Amino acid sequence: VIDGVTPTITGVASSTANGTYGIGDLINLTVAFTEIVDVDTTSGTPTLQLDTGNSDRYATYTSGSGSNTLSFQYTVQDGDSSTDLDQLSSTALALNGGSITDAAGNPAILSLAEPGETGSLGAHADLVIDGVAPTISVTIADGGDGHLNATEDSSLTISGSTSGVEDEQTVGIVISDGTNTLNTSATVNGNNYSVSDLDLSTLDDGLLSITADVSDLAGNSAAQASTSIHKDTAAPTLAGVDSSSTNGL
């Protein structure tokens, strides 16, 4: 049997659900051919280059030899960004020393659709890549003296700012005296958050630690923000009255 028909690519797609993905998330991609193909990775593994922002990443071939659909995997890395993940170009599929052929040994033509065009990953899927970790800060309304008195202790405000965090995301706040802990939360609005009228009476006097944590919609966590303050709610007492003068008239 003479087979002079060369396999070609019909499209790039994704078996990962449409949505937003963050650092460490695994994206499964597929490349479909017009006929069954065999992949030989003895001398190298095929890759599919993706448009992921400043650093263009690669999805690596994982399985599918002996079928007409090959599977590739890409893991989102720090700094990756795309509002609609797509292959980098029409020549983004590379053999890297490996081979993709049909049963007769005809090498596959590796030309892809142009990004955004019919048959491209971007046309088949809606994958948003957010590999940029957010940031957060935390401050305490202490009057500027670094201490909480009895009045401030019963009605404290904790606030801060964020970057790269969508509105309505929750900030987790923990206040601790080293033994006892108070947990509360706030909601991000316009990259700011605030929680007021906190009652810290259940915490002991002394050094208090405050931490704030938040994640963006993609699940990327900000580096924890922290600060501390001294709590002193005990009123001073008079130990006694004495005189440095000699007793006498």
Side-chain angles (χ1 to χ4, degrees):
V1 176
I2 298 175
D3 179 1
V5 179
T6 301
T8 60
I9 295 171
T10 60
V12 181
S14 173
S15 57
T16 297
N18 293 335
T20 300
Y21 295 89
I23 299 170
D25 286 339
L26 186 66
I27 309 297
N28 294 297
L29 306 176
T30 59
V31 177
F33 289 81
T34 52
E35 61 177 297
I36 291 174
V37 293
D38 296 313
V39 181
D40 185 350
T41 60
T42 303
S43 300
T45 302
T47 56
L48 178 67
Q49 192 171 17
L50 305 172
D51 185 355
T52 52
N54 291 331
S55 298
D56 295 319
R57 309 297 185 186
Y58 292 87
T60 303
Y61 166 76
T62 57
S63 63
S65 183
S67 74
N68 66 347
T69 302
L70 304 183
S71 297
F72 292 72
Q73 287 187 337
Y74 151 65
T75 300
V76 180
Q77 300 179 49
D78 187 10
D80 292 358
S81 179
S82 175
T83 57
D84 187 8
L85 185 64
D86 211 340
Q87 66 246 29
L88 182 64
S89 67
S90 62
T91 58
L93 182 59
L95 294 175
N96 302 309
S99 67
I100 301 175
T101 61
D102 64 11
N106 298 310
I109 295 175
L110 304 182
S111 298
L112 303 168
E114 291 291 341
E117 298 297 325
T118 300
S120 68
L121 173 60
H124 277 138
D126 293 314
L127 300 171
V128 177
I129 304 301
D130 178 1
V132 180
T135 64
I136 187 172
S137 66
V138 61
T139 58
I140 306 169
D142 59 5
D145 59 5
H147 289 75
L148 292 180
N149 59 35
T151 300
E152 295 166 331
D153 173 62
S154 62
S155 183
L156 181 68
T157 296
I158 294 177
S159 60
S161 62
T162 63
S163 68
V165 179
E166 298 82 1
D167 284 355
E168 304 303 320
Q169 290 295 97
T170 299
V171 177
I173 301 168
V174 178
I175 310 164
S176 175
D177 60 18
T179 302
N180 306 296
T181 299
L182 177 65
N183 294 282
T184 188
S185 63
T187 301
V188 175
N189 184 15
N191 277 323
N192 292 286
Y193 70 92
S194 179
V195 57
S196 303
D197 298 323
L198 292 173
D199 184 355
L200 275 56
S201 60
T202 58
L203 303 179
D204 295 337
D205 278 10
L207 185 66
L208 303 182
S209 65
I210 299 91
T211 61
D213 294 276
V214 73
S215 298
D216 62 19
L217 280 175
N220 302 313
S221 297
Q224 186 179 77
S226 64
T227 188
S228 61
I229 193 169
H230 287 272
K231 175 183 174 180
D232 182 2
T233 59
T237 58
L238 183 63
V241 178
D242 202 354
S243 173
S244 60
S245 302
T246 305
N247 292 334
L249 298 174

